[in-house]
């Protein structure tokens, strides 16, 4: 690539600020805000502050760099000045530290705050628990553990006024199902503690009355201490921990959800918080100013996306963040940059906390001007005066793309944003439609709180939080409770249900990042634990003979013991570049039809299904050319079966049993699945597909129990096929390529595909939809 870079820039014009009328603030608070350069509020900030002050639970939707923090910061500080507490939940540790730096500016007013997460050493956490601050900044993983010890956290929960869920779109999918259950547990603990507090107050009054009566009789005052008389499975609030304003039960907690724009804000916030959609107030808009932004989309051509991104950064010579979609990508950026003598630093999760803090500070100050980063730096972070964002590949959703672009130009200067599109269908769709990501509809977010594989373990944890009783249970909980009782993880205690010793241990090991069974990965030579994978993924990565990468090292798998839940690997010591790819078959059986519809002559259905995923062999491929070197079948196939939810479409009217039509369905399955992340916000690993010769395509949710993704695709199926048709039509290849119908997830090694037939099927559906419009 030449030293200059002159693409066809798409210019987004500058935008002036829209300010609101003055908001009444306490003079000290106003003074601190003035010191921060905030003399007046943008229109959307004022609207949000007014709604929160009125006691509403709100959903705030505004783009990056729009000042969302101030929308909840003002009410949180005002609550602290009334000795009330707030819980601020962020999806990344980097964002937590960034927001803490802003909150600490209010220390002068007596507002005490602290970060409480896995990067905080235990001695510091003990200090927090000994003397609770007004504001605790944490994440849902840590909140899970906090809820397991409600006695310890009772003084903080008793004064809790606000719960802020920032960047809520980051919780779409399986993690959102976990988050919804953690919030359910939080609301339950708060309610139980309020009830216990009321009982305690009544008890104290009763004891005082008895003591007064006895005093009148014998002249002696004997007041019983309520804390020594009752035990309600944790606490009433210990008298020694009472702070001013905490002697009465607190009012209901208010939820403040904020995010960049998503397609279904009220629906998704309702799933996360458990509040009805009509109970939530939507605050939407953006009154913040913005400098001119130049956008460009380029495709990787004769060089890899890594080297092309670096050449663009070198040619532009600006303060730049290059975003990669994986640890592997940003490490490769660092490696190649070193060979090009480019002074690039690498930022990702997994680095020591102190190293991450140092990189953040150095980039903010300008001592580092070129940074490669994963999504760990995309959410809400103030990275200073960065000028340019280069995206080494489309990040999966428009929302995430806009988040990354929003990291630059935050000081009002002109900004530059370049997407380097990879050779896959979704990236190439945006390369062909460069204005779409600026003006297209945002994705909808999804979660499935009643996923039984997730709900089961939160029921177990809830029994540890506070003993369960009949009133706590929701529809579908009874069978899960029976399972937990039969597994000796729960036991009866009077009229309640509590955890056993084993159940308590299990609750402490719950991960909020997965659903279903896990496979532990062990080094067969040393016995060292190397990591773990979900069983559904493991059968396609750790079968006998598979080549597996960990930390840049290559291992050969000796196979998986599914009963034991263990895969054993041996290190590969040669310098070969060979890799393996699983061969698999999949089958879907319909359990129930929950919803039906029509689109362009295609029958659509949605509901629970049973999926059988079988790995029967693998191919060995050359790492440079991608050519298949050999093929091998396993002695015994590995099978993973699970129940989930799916959407299925019936194309039988045009398929009519022809071989070419079956291959067209297979190709259409590939390209339409590639488009679904842009509509649902789902990770591609969350979506599976099965097509059969009779004319039916299943699109299923990849996690056991489901994630809610198929409901969104059901409503937006026409958009999906329209995007697929455009990609098939504009791709320059003749028979198919990675930019249209080839999928790295294909269990048939991308055989039995027909691009021309797929395009014909998509057009027939679209023509049918137009004729019925």
């Amino acid at each position: 690539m030449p030293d200059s870079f002159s693409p066809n820039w798409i210019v987004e014009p500058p935008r002036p600020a829209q300010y609101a009328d003055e908001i009444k603030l306490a003079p000290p608070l106003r003074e601190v805000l003035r010191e921060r350069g905030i003399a007046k509020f943008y229109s959307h900030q004022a609207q949000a502050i007014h709604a929160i002050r009125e006691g509403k639970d709100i959903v705030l939707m505004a783009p990056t760099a729009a000042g969302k923090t101030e929308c909840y910061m003002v009410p949180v500080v005002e609550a602290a000045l009334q000795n009330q507490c707030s819980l601020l939940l962020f999806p990344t540790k980097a964002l937590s530290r960034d927001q803490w730096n802003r909150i600490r500016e209010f220390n002068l007013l007596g507002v005490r705050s602290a970060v409480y997460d896995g990067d905080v050493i235990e001695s510091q956490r003990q200090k927090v628990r000994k003397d609770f601050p007004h504001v605790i900044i944490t994440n849902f993983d840590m909140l899970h553990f906090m809820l397991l010890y409600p006695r310890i956290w009772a003084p903080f929960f008793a004064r809790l006024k606000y719960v802020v869920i920032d960047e809520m779109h980051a919780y779409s999918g399986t993690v959102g199902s976990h988050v919804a259950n953690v919030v359910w547990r939080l609301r339950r603990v708060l309610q139980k503690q309020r009830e216990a507090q009321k009982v305690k107050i009544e008890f104290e009054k009763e004891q005082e009355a008895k003591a007064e009566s006895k005093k009148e009789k014998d002249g002696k005052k004997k007041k019983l201490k309520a804390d020594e008389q009752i035990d309600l499975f944790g606490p009433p609030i210990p008298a020694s921990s009472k702070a001013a304003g905490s002697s009465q039960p607190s009012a209901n907690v208010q939820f403040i959800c904020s995010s960049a724009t998503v397609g279904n804000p009220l629906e998704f916030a309702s799933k996360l918080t458990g509040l009805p959609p009509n109970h939530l107030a939507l605050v939407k808009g953006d009154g913040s100013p913005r400098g001119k932004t130049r956008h460009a989309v380029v495709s990787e051509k004769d060089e890899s996306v890594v080297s092309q991104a670096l050449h663009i950064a070198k040619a532009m010579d600006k303060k730049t963040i290059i975003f990669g979609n994986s640890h592997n990508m940003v490490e490769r950026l660092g490696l190649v940059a070193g060979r090009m003598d480019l002074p690039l630093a690498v930022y990702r999760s997994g680095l020591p906390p102190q190293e991450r803090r140092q990189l953040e500070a150095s980039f903010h100050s300008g001592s580092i001007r070129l940074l490669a980063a994963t999504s760990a730096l995309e959410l809400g972070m103030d990275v200073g005066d960065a000028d340019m964002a280069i995206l080494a590949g489309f990040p999966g959703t428009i929302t995430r793309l806009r988040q990354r672009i929003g990291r630059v130009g935050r000081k009002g200067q002109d900004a530059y944003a370049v997407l380097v599109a990879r050779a896959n269908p979704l990236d190439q769709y945006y390369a062909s439609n460069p204005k779409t990501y600026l003006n297209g509809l945002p994705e909808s977010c999804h979660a499935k709180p009643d996923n039984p594989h997730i709900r089961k373990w939160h029921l177990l944890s809830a029994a540890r939080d506070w003993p369960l009783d009949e009133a706590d249970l929701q529809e579908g909980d009874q069978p899960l409770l029976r399972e937990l009782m039969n597994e000796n993880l729960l036991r009866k205690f009077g009229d309640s249900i509590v955890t056993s010793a084993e159940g308590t241990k299990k609750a402490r090991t719950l991960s909020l990042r997965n659903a279903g069974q896990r496979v532990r990965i062990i080094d067969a030579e040393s016995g060292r634990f190397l990591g773990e994978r979900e069983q559904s993924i493991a059968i396609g990565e750790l079968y006998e003979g598979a080549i597996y990468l960990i930390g840049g090292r290559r291992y050969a798998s000796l196979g998986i013991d599914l009963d034991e839940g263990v895969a054993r690997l041996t290190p590969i010591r040669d310098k070969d570049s060979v890799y393996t790819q699983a061969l698999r078959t999949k089958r879907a059986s319909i359990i129930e039809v929950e919803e039906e519809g029509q689109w362009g002559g295609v029958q659509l259905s949605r509901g629970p299904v049973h999926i059988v995923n079988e790995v029967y062999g693998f191919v060995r491929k050359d790492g440079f050319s991608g050519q298949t070197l050999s093929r091998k079948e396993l002695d015994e196939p590995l099978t993973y079966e699970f129940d989930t939810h799916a959407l299925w479409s019936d194309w039988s009217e045009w398929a009519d049993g022809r071989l070419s039509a079956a291959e067209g369905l297979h190709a259409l399955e590939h390209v339409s699945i590639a488009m679904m992340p842009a509509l649902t916000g789902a990770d591609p690993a969350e979506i599976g597909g099965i097509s059969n010769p009779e004319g039916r395509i299943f699109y299923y949710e990849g996690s056991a129990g489901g994630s809610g993704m198929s409901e969104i695709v059901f409503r937006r199926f026409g958009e999906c096929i329209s995007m697929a048709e455009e990609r098939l039509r504009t791709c320059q290849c003749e028979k198919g390529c990675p930019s249209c119908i080839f999928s790295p997830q294909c269990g048939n090694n991308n055989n039995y595909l027909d691009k021309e037939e797929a395009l014909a099927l998509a057009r027939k559906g679209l023509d049918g939809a137009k004729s019925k419009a």
Side-chain angles (χ1 to χ4, degrees):
M1 175 176 284
D3 290 337
S4 62
F5 176 64
S6 302
N8 293 319
W9 293 107
I10 303 169
V11 179
E12 190 177 3
R15 180 186 62 207
Q18 296 178 18
Y19 292 105
D21 295 334
E22 188 171 341
I23 293 179
K24 187 176 180 180
L25 296 172
L29 174 54
R30 182 175 296 282
E31 190 59 36
V32 173
L33 290 171
R34 285 187 185 278
E35 286 293 319
R36 291 180 55 187
I38 302 173
K40 47 188 175 179
F41 292 101
Y42 302 131
S43 54
H44 66 283
Q45 291 176 324
Q47 185 183 352
I49 292 169
H50 284 311
I52 295 167
R53 284 177 170 178
E54 291 169 0
K56 296 176 181 177
D57 299 278
I58 75 160
V59 181
L60 171 64
M61 306 303 297
T64 56
K68 289 193 290 291
T69 299
E70 285 71 27
C71 296
Y72 58 77
M73 194 72 70
V74 169
V76 162
V77 171
E78 290 177 335
L81 297 177
Q82 298 297 317
N83 205 35
Q84 293 177 308
C85 297
S86 298
L87 186 66
L88 275 53
L89 297 150
F90 298 101
T92 67
K93 294 172 183 175
L95 184 53
S96 292
R97 264 66 183 181
D98 183 69
Q99 296 300 300
W100 188 36
N101 287 334
R102 302 190 193 190
I103 294 171
R104 282 192 291 183
E105 294 174 0
F106 297 96
N107 286 358
L108 293 171
L109 306 183
V111 178
R112 296 186 301 116
S113 59
V115 174
Y116 192 90
D117 61 24
D119 280 357
V120 178
I121 60 175
E122 179 55 28
S123 61
Q124 291 299 317
R125 280 189 259 170
Q126 287 177 2
K127 288 182 180 179
V128 172
R129 297 194 298 265
K130 188 176 181 180
D131 185 16
F132 289 108
H134 300 104
V135 181
I136 287 181
I137 301 164
T138 188
N139 51 52
F140 279 101
D141 301 83
M142 186 58 75
L143 180 56
H144 159 67
F145 288 102
M146 291 160 62
L147 291 170
L148 296 177
Y149 302 95
R151 284 179 181 270
I152 293 173
W153 289 90
F156 179 78
F157 288 155
R159 293 184 289 142
L160 187 60
K161 172 67 173 173
Y162 296 120
V163 175
V164 177
I165 303 176
D166 196 27
E167 306 291 357
M168 72 172 186
H169 64 273
Y171 304 116
S172 186
T174 298
V175 68
S177 303
H178 281 288
V179 164
N181 277 282
V182 173
V183 173
W184 167 75
R185 288 166 51 203
L186 172 64
R187 293 179 65 197
R188 176 176 173 268
V189 165
L190 294 175
Q191 179 63 31
K192 296 291 186 184
Q193 290 188 339
R194 283 196 295 269
E195 292 170 358
Q197 187 74 354
K198 288 178 182 177
V199 170
K200 179 183 174 181
I201 291 169
E202 292 301 318
F203 183 85
E204 287 177 334
K205 288 180 179 177
E206 183 182 334
Q207 294 304 308
E208 287 175 358
K210 286 181 179 179
E212 191 63 33
S213 175
K214 190 167 182 62
K215 178 183 177 182
E216 291 175 0
K217 288 180 180 180
D218 57 17
K220 295 182 180 180
K221 180 181 179 182
K222 293 183 178 179
K223 181 182 177 184
L224 298 175
K225 293 182 179 179
D227 290 338
E228 298 174 352
Q229 299 297 314
I230 59 174
D231 180 10
L232 296 172
F233 300 105
I237 312 304
S240 60
S241 299
K242 288 182 184 177
S246 67
S247 59
Q248 297 295 321
S250 63
N252 287 336
V253 166
Q254 280 179 250
F255 283 89
I256 304 169
C257 301
S258 75
S259 180
T261 305
V262 297
N264 56 342
L266 293 178
E267 177 192 22
F268 187 57
S270 173
K271 286 190 175 181
L272 293 184
T273 62
L275 299 171
N278 60 7
H279 185 87
L280 296 159
L282 179 62
V283 177
K284 190 175 181 180
D286 183 12
S288 63
R290 184 80 182 174
K292 182 189 296 183
T293 305
R294 293 176 174 85
H295 300 268
V297 183
V298 298
S299 290
E300 57 175 338
K301 298 293 185 183
D302 300 326
E303 57 182 339
S304 71
V305 65
V306 167
S307 60
Q308 189 165 358
L310 290 169
H311 277 120
I312 292 170
K314 184 177 181 179
M316 293 295 291
D317 191 26
K318 297 184 180 297
K319 190 174 180 182
T320 301
I321 307 175
I322 304 178
F323 283 104
N325 294 332
S326 66
H327 289 192
N328 180 271
M329 171 71 80
V330 296
E331 292 289 4
R332 283 167 54 205
L333 282 162
L335 182 67
V336 177
R339 294 172 180 169
M340 294 172 60
D341 292 325
L342 275 176
L344 176 138
V346 172
Y347 183 99
R348 61 173 177 80
S349 61
L351 295 176
Q354 190 56 41
E355 188 174 340
R356 291 203 307 270
R357 302 290 91 77
Q358 183 59 49
L359 286 170
E360 292 162 16
S362 297
F363 190 72
H364 196 283
S365 68
S367 57
I368 293 176
R369 289 182 50 81
L370 185 56
L371 189 69
T374 61
S375 59
L377 205 64
E378 80 180 35
L379 293 170
M381 284 284 294
D382 182 359
V383 293
D385 57 348
D387 305 305
M388 185 169 188
I390 300 174
L391 281 64
F394 184 71
T397 69
I398 291 174
T399 299
R400 294 187 66 185
L401 182 142
R402 290 174 179 168
Q403 285 285 133
R404 294 180 176 188
I405 293 173
R407 298 307 97 213
V408 300
R410 294 173 69 94
K411 303 304 179 185
Q413 78 276 32
D414 286 0
Y416 299 81
V418 179
L419 168 63
V420 183
R422 297 162 298 175
N424 66 46
L426 191 54
D427 282 42
Q428 290 302 310
Y429 173 81
Y430 287 112
S432 301
N433 299 273
K435 293 186 179 181
T436 303
Y437 75 85
L438 290 176
N439 306 311
L441 292 174
E443 302 83 12
S444 297
C445 293
H446 58 282
K448 194 170 181 59
D450 60 352
N451 178 328
H453 300 273
I454 291 173
R455 178 70 178 171
K456 174 180 177 179
W457 302 115
H458 285 284
L459 278 173
L460 174 68
S461 300
R464 165 64 193 177
D465 302 341
W466 203 290
L468 282 169
D469 55 46
E470 193 70 31
D472 298 320
L473 302 183
Q474 300 177 4
E475 185 179 356
D477 285 348
Q478 285 288 3
L480 302 176
L481 277 183
R482 286 194 291 271
E483 285 182 30
L484 291 164
M485 299 279 282
N486 292 337
E487 294 167 12
N488 296 318
L489 298 175
L490 292 180
R491 60 184 178 86
K492 293 284 284 184
F493 185 82
D495 294 332
S496 300
I497 298 173
V498 298
T499 54
S500 65
E502 275 304 306
T504 297
K505 290 179 185 177
K506 189 76 175 177
R508 289 171 180 160
T509 62
L510 177 65
S511 168
L512 304 191
R513 307 294 154 183
N514 57 73
Q517 296 174 291
R518 309 286 287 176
V519 171
R520 300 174 69 248
I521 305 171
I522 304 295
D523 188 319
E525 295 182 2
S526 66
R528 186 166 60 95
F529 174 73
L530 298 173
E532 61 180 12
R533 296 291 272 166
E534 286 191 59
Q535 191 181 107
S536 59
I537 299 173
I539 66 165
E541 294 181 344
L542 294 163
Y543 46 83
E544 185 177 357
I547 295 173
Y548 192 75
L549 294 175
I550 302 177
R553 294 193 61 185
R554 299 166 73 240
Y555 290 82
S557 175
L558 302 179
I560 308 174
D561 186 326
L562 291 176
D563 294 328
E564 190 183 354
V566 171
R568 291 179 171 83
L569 312 182
T570 59
I572 298 174
R573 294 180 170 86
D574 61 41
K575 300 289 186 181
D576 209 336
S577 64
V578 172
Y579 68 97
T580 55
Q581 183 176 331
L583 298 172
R584 65 178 82 210
T585 59
K586 294 181 286 187
R587 301 186 299 278
S589 303
I590 298 167
I591 298 173
E592 182 185 352
V593 178
E594 292 183 340
E595 189 175 5
E596 292 183 301
Q598 281 275 340
W599 174 82
V602 177
Q603 175 71 28
L604 301 179
S605 306
R606 185 183 64 78
V609 296
H610 181 74
I611 301 293
V612 178
N613 187 351
E614 182 179 270
V615 174
Y616 64 88
F618 64 95
V619 292
R620 299 174 76 250
K621 291 190 167 187
D622 179 76
F624 292 103
S625 67
Q627 236 179 355
T628 298
L629 303 175
S630 63
R631 174 188 175 108
K632 179 175 172 57
E633 294 198 1
L634 302 178
D635 294 334
E636 186 175 339
L638 292 170
T639 302
Y640 178 72
E641 301 185 38
F642 62 104
D643 291 340
T644 185
H645 282 70
L647 155 75
W648 53 97
S649 55
D650 188 349
W651 301 78
S652 57
E653 179 181 344
W654 302 300
D656 57 35
R658 293 177 292 112
L659 177 60
S660 61
E663 293 177 343
L665 284 168
H666 188 194
L668 184 59
E669 171 210 323
H670 280 189
V671 69
S672 54
I673 285 177
M675 300 301 160
M676 287 179 186
L679 303 176
T680 66
D683 186 283
E686 289 187 69
I687 309 169
I690 301 172
S691 53
N692 58 42
E694 291 76 30
R696 179 173 285 169
I697 302 177
F698 285 89
Y699 304 101
Y700 65 87
E701 299 166 11
S703 57
S707 63
M709 176 274 301
S710 61
E711 296 179 41
I712 295 172
V713 179
F714 185 89
R715 294 194 295 269
R716 302 184 69 175
F717 187 74
E719 294 175 64
C720 179
I721 298 302
S722 179
M723 292 172 68
E725 188 274 340
E726 195 276 344
R727 178 82 294 266
L728 290 165
R729 173 170 41 83
T730 59
C731 187
Q732 299 301 307
C733 71
E734 291 186 16
K735 299 294 185 182
C737 69
S739 295
C740 56
I741 63 174
F742 290 176
S743 167
Q745 310 298 327
C746 181
N748 288 310
N749 199 27
N750 286 303
N751 291 315
Y752 318 117
L753 297 167
D754 190 318
K755 175 186 174 183
E756 187 176 332
E757 188 70 32
L759 180 58
L761 288 169
R763 283 175 170 169
K764 286 176 181 176
L766 289 167
D767 289 344
K770 288 177 183 176
S771 67
K772 294 181 180 181

